[in-house]
Amino acid sequence: SQQGEEDPQALSIQEGENATMNCSYKTSINNLQWYRQNSGRGLVHLILIRSNEREKHSGRLRVTLDTSKKSSSLLITASRAADTASYFCAPATYGGATNKLIFGTGTLLAVQP
Amino acid sequence: DGGITQSPKYLFRKEGQNVTLSCEQNLNHDAMYWYRQDPGQGLRLIYYSQIVNDFQKGDIAEGYSVSREKKESFPLTVTSAQKNPTAFYLCASMGMGNQPQHFGDGTRLSIL
């Protein structure tokens, strides 16, 4: 298992703008997952991208994965105030006895109405 | 509806006291996890279990204990040996293969 490192730590944008968050990791992965956490709540899974995929879409979310650079990005288009939350990436390496995710410190996104 | 239930939502601990946080899932998941989150921080893994009657320490297991007697349940005990227990505790479960984790809504533990 390994930790993803999100960048930036905090991001403030206006409603309607796009938000981009980045994630870097260190070793090979099976997949990479993005999660959202609203204040005081548990994490909610947003999207999973497998190591053989380069881009994935889900509604207003677009995730890219570059395994050669060991990096991923999450783009939220046409942001809304309800998108205000912390966003975490979790690189996943499965196999053997260690099926676990290590979460980074996240990106805190504030969308101003 | 399938999901993970954590209880209680808020918990207060007195000095020298052990407290147990409950985590129940009806997703038929084999793996379950406990995380600790401090303000403005990410999640740190306390314990995890991939099968009934078996569990492994995570990165910050000292002062905590768990049991996994049933597939559905993975309670976490915060013992008096944990000197700084004030935090937000999250439980998660995961199915087989390359699946995402499902999280409960957390328990916030404070010291009286």
Side-chain angles (χ1 to χ4, degrees):
Chain A
S1 61
Q2 59 177 303
Q3 181 175 4
E5 295 183 10
E6 296 89 351
D7 174 66
Q9 289 189 329
L11 181 61
S12 182
I13 60 174
Q14 296 295 124
E15 211 165 21
E17 294 180 339
N18 295 343
T20 299
M21 288 156 268
N22 302 297
C23 171
S24 60
Y25 57 93
K26 291 189 168 59
T27 64
S28 61
I29 59 172
N30 292 109
N31 66 63
L32 187 139
Q33 302 171 28
W34 284 92
Y35 291 79
R36 183 188 75 230
Q37 183 182 33
N38 290 92
S39 182
R41 304 295 298 272
L43 276 67
V44 174
H45 175 255
L46 293 176
I47 197 163
L48 181 154
I49 186 165
R50 292 185 167 78
S51 59
N52 61 353
E53 297 175 311
R54 292 295 167 259
E55 188 171 310
K56 201 161 182 180
H57 296 253
S58 176
R60 293 184 297 112
L61 305 180
R62 173 180 167 244
V63 167
T64 62
L65 179 64
D66 187 335
T67 53
S68 67
K69 295 181 179 177
K70 294 185 169 55
S71 67
S72 174
S73 67
L74 170 67
L75 169 68
I76 303 174
T77 60
S79 64
R80 305 166 182 168
D83 295 326
T84 294
S86 291
Y87 292 82
F88 296 89
C89 73
T93 304
Y94 296 113
T98 55
N99 289 343
K100 57 182 181 177
L101 300 177
I102 305 294
F103 294 87
T105 54
T107 292
L108 178 58
L109 172 66
V111 181
Q112 311 296 336
Chain B
D1 282 0
I4 298 183
T5 301
Q6 289 188 243
S7 62
K9 193 170 178 63
Y10 300 96
L11 188 58
F12 298 91
R13 195 192 89 169
K14 295 180 182 178
E15 293 287 341
Q17 187 181 43
N18 293 353
V19 292
T20 297
L21 285 60
S22 170
C23 179
E24 303 277 333
Q25 56 103 354
N26 60 5
L27 299 166
N28 200 32
H29 286 169
D30 287 307
M32 297 186 75
Y33 306 82
W34 274 105
Y35 297 92
R36 171 181 171 139
Q37 187 176 33
D38 292 283
Q41 300 296 313
L43 279 67
R44 291 186 289 169
L45 183 64
I46 305 172
Y47 268 98
Y48 64 105
S49 167
Q50 296 187 105
I51 197 168
V52 174
N53 292 324
D54 188 47
F55 48 83
Q56 287 80 39
K57 292 181 180 180
D59 300 316
I60 55 164
E62 186 173 349
Y64 300 97
S65 66
V66 293
S67 63
R68 187 85 188 277
E69 297 176 2
K70 298 187 301 181
K71 189 175 186 178
E72 303 79 20
S73 179
F74 191 40
L76 173 74
T77 296
V78 184
T79 75
S80 57
Q82 173 49 246
K83 297 307 179 189
N84 183 23
T86 297
F88 189 50
Y89 290 86
L90 287 163
C91 179
S93 70
M94 186 174 75
M96 295 289 290
N98 292 347
Q99 297 296 321
Q101 292 189 7
H102 294 252
F103 283 80
D105 262 345
T107 292
R108 191 167 299 280
L109 176 62
S110 301
I111 296 295
L112 282 178

